[in-house]
Amino acid sequence: MADLRDLLPHSKKDVKFDAKAKLFLVNEVAEMKNCNNCIFLEARKGKDLYMWISRVPDGPSAKFLVENLHTMSELKLTGNCLKGSRPILFFDKQFDESPAFRLLKEMLTQILGSPKGHPKVKPFVDHQFSFFLADNRIWFRNYQLIKSDEKAAGHVDTLVEIGPRFCLNPIRILSGSFGGKTLWQNSAFVTPSRARAALKRPKQETVRSRRKQMKKRKKHTERNFVGEDDLDQVF
């Protein structure tokens, strides 16, 4: 959360939102703070993190599952940039091949792009937000732009990663802000609970087979019980 706010100097945060069942109330909070776009982070079961991005108040909105999240302090990368500077937004060309991802590209551009003339945004461009499409997911990277000496022969500008890095697994796009008709839905999406259950299934089958063998052994022992021998108590 802190890393995301550092990347967006023009953002405004609000206190924790408890009414999970009534997400449309987030629109009222955004309007009170004079915000046109909104990012809402929703944590479930202490393991799963969902992210909503929405155009307030009329939509559209999109829901993602955040995966492979790594903070700046965790990565400890060598890249660095001026806090509050303007970023360059780079999108993979695959975003233009699908109407759904073209819409997501436009929404991410409006939300993560720094507004021109904002008092908290410095008029410098020294880092780049990169969005790549792979495995039907959106991979985010933040790079520092290092300009080479133009007078040197064969000068090449380089990119050094700053962080954070995360992956967005799109779930669905809604026509309204935190509600409305479903414009697009990811048919390949599997909830984290089902994924964890699938990983535990082989262990469950092993336990079931072991219990079945124990019951079978117990029935075999009861069926072939011949009784106690009186000679066992002689000595």
Side-chain angles (χ1 to χ4, degrees), residues 80-81 86 88 124-128 143-152 154-160:
N80 194 9
C81 67
R86 297 173 61 87
I88 295 176
F124 302 103
V125 178
D126 59 355
H127 64 288
Q128 171 180 298
Y143 296 102
Q144 175 190 1
L145 299 175
I146 299 180
K147 294 286 185 179
S148 60
D149 188 3
E150 297 181 356
K151 298 180 180 179
H155 67 280
V156 178
D157 297 339
T158 57
L159 298 175
V160 180

Side-chain angles (χ1 to χ4, degrees), residues 89-103:
L89 300 183
F90 173 81
F91 288 89
D92 192 346
K93 63 179 181 180
Q94 297 183 36
F95 275 90
D96 297 327
E97 297 177 0
S98 170
F101 283 103
R102 277 202 301 269
L103 177 58

Side-chain angles (χ1 to χ4, degrees), residues 19-192:
K20 297 288 181 66
K22 300 178 181 179
L23 292 180
F24 62 89
L25 296 177
V26 179
N27 296 324
E28 299 180 4
V29 178
E31 289 180 351
M32 285 189 295
K33 292 187 175 290
N34 296 323
C35 295
N36 296 326
N37 299 286
C38 176
I39 298 178
F40 179 69
L41 299 175
E42 181 182 1
R44 294 183 182 177
K45 298 181 180 180
K47 300 179 181 179
D48 309 324
L49 178 63
Y50 293 89
M51 185 174 79
W52 287 82
I53 59 174
S54 177
R55 179 73 177 176
V56 178
D58 300 325
S61 58
K63 185 180 182 181
F64 304 91
L65 173 66
V66 182
E67 301 173 332
N68 301 321
L69 175 63
H70 301 282
T71 61
M72 291 184 187
S73 59
E74 179 184 353
L75 294 173
K76 296 181 180 179
L77 299 171
T78 57
N80 194 9
C81 67
L82 181 66
K83 187 174 182 179
S85 58
R86 297 173 61 87
I88 295 176
L89 300 183
F90 173 81
F91 288 89
D92 192 346
K93 63 179 181 180
Q94 297 183 36
F95 275 90
D96 297 327
E97 297 177 0
S98 170
F101 283 103
R102 277 202 301 269
L103 177 58
L104 292 177
K105 174 183 176 181
E106 181 62 28
M107 294 177 67
L108 291 172
T109 301
Q110 294 185 16
I111 291 176
L112 300 180
S114 299
K116 186 177 180 180
H118 195 279
K120 292 186 178 181
V121 178
K122 298 179 175 63
F124 302 103
V125 178
D126 59 355
H127 64 288
Q128 171 180 298
F129 293 163
S130 300
F131 300 90
F132 304 97
L133 269 181
D135 195 22
N136 204 26
R137 290 170 170 81
I138 301 175
W139 301 80
F140 173 83
R141 296 292 184 269
N142 182 25
Y143 296 102
Q144 175 190 1
L145 299 175
I146 299 180
K147 294 286 185 179
S148 60
D149 188 3
E150 297 181 356
K151 298 180 180 179
H155 67 280
V156 178
D157 297 339
T158 57
L159 298 175
V160 180
E161 188 172 357
I162 304 173
R165 58 169 65 168
F166 54 85
C167 171
L168 297 177
N169 190 356
I171 302 175
R172 64 179 60 198
I173 302 175
L174 303 177
S175 60
S177 181
F178 298 100
K181 296 181 179 179
T182 300
L183 301 178
W184 176 83
Q185 186 171 357
N186 186 3
S187 58
F189 175 75
V190 179
T191 60

